[in-house]
Amino acid sequence: MSDTFDGETAIVTGASRGIGSGIATKLAEQGASVVVNYRSSERQAESVVDEIEDRGGEAVAVQADVSDRDDVAAMVEATVDRFGSLDVMVNNAGMTTLGPAADIDVEDWRRVIEVDLTGVFIGCQAAGRQMQSQADGGAIVNVSSMMGEMGFHMRAPYCAAKAGVINLTRTLAVEWAEDDISVNALAPGFIQTDITDQTQDSAGYTDDDIRRRTPMARYGTVEEMANCVSFLARGDTYVTGEVLRADGGWTSDAWRYREDRA
């Protein structure tokens, strides 16, 4: 195990599966005590905790709806009661809805915004207040998306929310720099997870479509995203207010669709 986060405590929201579980596991491997947040999948969250503990780490599963201010405040309080501090906050929990913008129900729009943008703000605010009270700095990493910087067919609420996360990140980085709290964002591209598998058909793309369009010609992995968050959460980089794109080169390239990658 690495000692990068030795003696520190991290909360990872939406950590019961996918990218969140990978981040939680990585931070624990590097010495952090980790709160594995979940909303409804307790069994999966406990499985992540078991995996961390089997590897010699320390973790606990805590239920909270990230869009509920009281839930998040209680989670931060429980974290400090259990581990003594909150040093790293990773706002990863998110959701999406797919459909033509003209047909999206306003309640579906609101739910995506509540979780993917308001939930990130609530998490940042609760963590920021705790870190300020500790007067020892800290790190916040918000998981946005490359879709927060471009338009994507059938994903209007998600793109809007993730764009908001990017500028929220920059704003909080400026406000909290004097408290030695870094605030950065990760903007993943297409990452291979079970969620990707569930939405792929309804979104109308195939594995080959992603491979042809991405300069690196593949999906990203959960492990790679966890490595990115680990870097952004470190306190020795002089990095704040940044958006780290981890998209295999997607946003750096003009439109491509290479038939020779079929």
Side-chain angles (χ1 to χ4, degrees), residues 26-252:
K26 173 62 67 175
L27 295 179
E29 286 176 354
Q30 296 181 323
S33 300
V34 179
V35 170
V36 177
N37 163 254
Y38 69 97
R39 184 177 65 86
S40 58
S41 51
E42 181 177 8
R43 180 183 59 80
Q44 290 177 300
E46 291 292 352
S47 178
V48 175
V49 170
D50 290 343
E51 180 179 355
I52 289 171
E53 292 179 339
D54 288 346
R55 297 182 183 185
E58 188 172 15
V60 62
V62 176
Q63 191 277 337
D65 181 342
V66 298
S67 67
D68 186 304
R69 185 186 297 271
D70 291 339
D71 268 17
V72 174
M75 177 171 63
V76 170
E77 183 177 359
T79 298
V80 176
D81 286 346
R82 174 68 179 269
F83 297 118
S85 66
L86 173 59
D87 308 287
V88 176
M89 180 72 172
V90 182
N91 292 298
N92 165 77
M95 62 171 295
T96 190
T97 188
L98 300 174
D103 298 334
I104 291 173
D105 186 86
V106 70
E107 290 306 316
D108 291 334
W109 167 275
R110 286 176 177 150
R111 185 56 184 159
V112 174
I113 298 298
E114 284 174 0
V115 173
D116 292 8
L117 179 54
T118 305
V120 171
F121 171 69
I122 290 172
C124 286
Q125 188 179 57
R129 286 172 173 169
Q130 178 61 36
M131 292 173 184
Q132 287 170 331
S133 72
Q134 294 169 186
D136 194 32
I140 297 173
V141 182
N142 299 323
V143 178
S144 180
S145 170
M146 70 177 185
M147 296 184 192
E149 299 188 285
M150 60 178 62
F152 256 79
H153 188 61
M154 306 278 284
R155 295 175 186 259
Y158 185 80
C159 290
K162 293 301 186 179
V165 168
I166 288 172
N167 226 29
L168 173 64
T169 297
R170 292 172 176 144
T171 301
L172 297 181
V174 172
E175 287 198 18
W176 293 345
E178 64 184 22
D179 299 301
D180 198 25
I181 300 171
S182 67
V183 189
N184 292 291
L186 174 66
F190 282 93
I191 311 304
Q192 193 69 65
T193 68
D194 57 343
I195 300 171
T196 303
D197 294 338
Q198 292 168 12
T199 61
Q200 181 170 302
D201 289 342
S202 58
Y205 63 84
T206 67
D207 289 345
D208 281 342
D209 291 331
I210 301 306
R211 192 156 49 86
R212 291 176 181 133
R213 174 61 181 83
T214 306
M216 289 184 72
R218 64 174 176 85
Y219 283 89
T221 69
V222 168
E223 175 74 10
E224 288 168 329
M225 299 307 104
N227 289 337
C228 291
V229 169
S230 172
F231 166 73
L232 292 173
R234 288 171 50 178
D236 59 354
T237 62
Y238 197 53
V239 175
T240 194
E242 291 299 322
V243 180
L244 175 57
R245 300 184 193 93
D247 61 5
W250 185 298
T251 54
S252 294

